[in-house]
Amino acid sequence: MPAAQPTVKTENKPLSAPQKALRKLGLDRDIDLALHLPLRYEDETRLVRLADTREGDMVQIEATVVSCEIAYKPRRQLLVEVDDGSDTCTLRFFSFYPSQQKALAVGNRLRLRGEVKGGFMGRTMMHPSFHPAGGELPQALTPVYPTSAGLPQVYLRKAVHSGLVHAARHGAFAETIPQESMPPSTLRYGKGRESNSGSVDAWGLAQSLHFLHHPTPDVSLAQLEDRTHPAWQRLKAEELLAQQLSQLQSKRARDLLRAPALKLRAGGLHEQLLGVLPFALTGAQRRVGEELAQDLMRQVPMHRLLQGDVGSGKTVVAALAAAIAMDGGWQCALMAPTEILAEQHFRKLIGWLEPLLSPLGKRVAWLTGSQKKKERTEMLALIASGEAALVVGTHAVIQEQVKFKNLALAIIDEQHRFGVAQRLALREKMQTSESCAGDAQQEPHMLMMSATPIPRTLAMSYYADLDVSTLDELPPGRTPIVTRLVSESRRDELIERIRHQIDQGRQVYWVCPLIEESEAIDLTNATETHALLTEALNPLGSAPVLVGLLHSRMPTADKKAEMAKFESGQMAVLVSTTVIEVGVDVPNASLMVIEHAERFGLSQLHQLRGRVGRGAAASACVLMYATGDSGRLSETARERLKAMVETTDGFEIARRDLEIRGPGEFLGARQSGAALLRFADLAEDVELLEWARDLAPKMLDQYPRQADQHVARWLGGKSDFLKA
Ligand code: ADP
Ligand code: MG
């Protein structure tokens, strides 16, 4: 395996535009170029007779120009008539240079490529490509590569070809997959599984690559295009295997680290906490709690994702895990993405835990960016001394000045809202803990929580290095949320409905539209809606109805004050931009209105809807949509809204979201262009994915050298993201 290429082209000479474009596409090494596969192909290997062509065919012909003139109806265009002996065809050019006009002069014989259109005036081709006729026909289909501005196909074709040749010469395609383990879909069709030598006759990597870059014309284009051809299967298998191997490697590396082995003690904090909870745990909460306790007892760091739909009760499960750690005298940290959410956790946890902690001389500490200096200094001291058994906060928890005495468990709520760097920083807090200073082998247990369930195939691929626990049961007594689509023109009826809810003592959220271009417009919208609702809900002589406003530009203190009024029930309606998206919990709220719902993503809508239906009252979510100038919703907006009406099941929502958006958007913090699958498709290639998952551990055990080689080939230096 050659190391990174010698960088000949750099230093003094500035890069040309196409070279820069290559870089930008990540096509640095020969192997990267070789793995840059065609999007589609053009068949330039044969010529057809015009008489044999049909409407819509993409064809190549050779014909002689019989007339060439500029016409002005309906606009200036060059009309060229050609005849190939079997029939004629009119070529139409709306833009052309004098030199092209010259090449198209009467009597010239041309090789033409384009799409044939019919019509009552006879066959035509719009802007066909053309060269002088004659010359050899290529033997292979012509590849068309994914490219970008400033990188012409011809240049890219040459670069890829040379990358392919060089990489092959350096042995970059050496087989790494054990012969006996080839996936069945890469086997040669039409032959038995065994060749004469007794080995399996599968498509090799080198052969597959050469073929995909330059397929022979006898192959089925359909098989190439839908990527079911065994050569494609081989590439996908390689890619999925690399992903599995690298995740398994980081998982095994983590298993070499140490974390405090925590014990579940009879009569301890865990048991006490269970005793003071105002409800019984659901079956799912008990099962997941058990899974966490098992992990915490081990001497290796837990690395677990707890997924559960909005409202499934993740917080209490996390608190129970924290109780186990605190019971052993260790510290825990809980980090949430927004201050409102962090504060809500803080209050809930204080309510449950402080009465249990104070007899032990311990407390819950609170850390956020907006904190007063004095309070902050106090909190930092509590954390450093270990008096704070639990630290709840926002990103402030991972700031430099924060020194833990003995952090054993780090919990991240809504983990997809944090970046890789932030999660790494939290893990490092363990190493700077006084109790294990300097021991790089020591790490805290990590619990990541997410309300966006991960579809099975994603969990198997991008999250293969994580253990996953799932809360698949909602606490009892929740009434299902009814979701309705309402056109914006029916706003007045909606206000009536709100009034009705308020009369029954219920509360209402009103989420304002998301406008990407400008936060300022967002704000105007929210302010206007707030004024409108305040007026409409407070007719003369009636009891006053308090309508609040919450938006991201407000000072934190104001946000908290508004939130507190809503939580206490004093405020009936809360108008908000999407700051309430995650986590807030006000069980008395029974109606959620989302304005311009067509602009929100599916999982965001689901999260927002999850703010209601938390109490016993029947709850509803109204998705107000506007069709805008076009008079209709976009295809994907329609699909999203349809999904929302059809199901409230977070897993089903996630599955559809994956279908609509593809995996990229899903991965949040894991997302990294370099690390996304390029060839394999999680919906199509489940069998290959399962194959790769089964093979990876075996390869690491039996063929470690090949495994390393395989990962290097596919991921180069790009697998760091997996460590967080
Ligand atoms: P999420 O999983 O969305 O973070 P929360 O942890 O905020 O959900 O829990 C949602 C609500 O359900 C909270 O008010 C919580 O106290 C309550 N809850 C949690 N578990 C139970 C249970 N087993 N029975 C009844 N209510 C519960
Ligand atoms: Mg939550």
Coordinates of all heavy atoms in Angstrom, one line a residue, residues 79 170 286 300 425:
L79 N -29.9 26.3 -38.3 CA -30.6 25.1 -38.7 C -29.7 24.3 -39.7 O -29.3 24.9 -40.7 CB -31.9 25.4 -39.3 CG -33.0 26.0 -38.4 CD1 -34.3 26.3 -39.2 CD2 -33.3 25.0 -37.3
H170 N 1.1 0.6 -8.3 CA 1.7 0.5 -6.9 C 1.0 -0.5 -6.1 O 1.2 -0.5 -4.8 CB 1.5 1.9 -6.2 CG 2.4 2.9 -6.8 ND1 1.9 4.0 -7.6 CD2 3.7 3.0 -6.8 CE1 3.0 4.7 -8.0 NE2 4.1 4.2 -7.5
R286 N -37.3 0.3 32.9 CA -36.6 -0.7 33.7 C -35.5 -1.5 33.0 O -34.4 -1.7 33.4 CB -37.6 -1.7 34.3 CG -38.2 -1.2 35.7 CD -38.8 -2.3 36.5 NE -39.8 -3.1 35.7 CZ -41.0 -2.8 35.6 NH1 -41.5 -1.7 36.2 NH2 -41.9 -3.5 34.8
V300 N -14.6 -1.0 31.7 CA -14.3 -0.3 30.5 C -15.4 0.8 30.3 O -16.5 0.6 30.8 CB -14.3 -1.2 29.2 CG1 -13.1 -2.1 29.3 CG2 -15.6 -2.0 29.1
A425 N -14.2 16.9 24.1 CA -13.8 17.8 25.3 C -14.4 17.2 26.6 O -13.8 17.2 27.6 CB -14.3 19.2 25.0

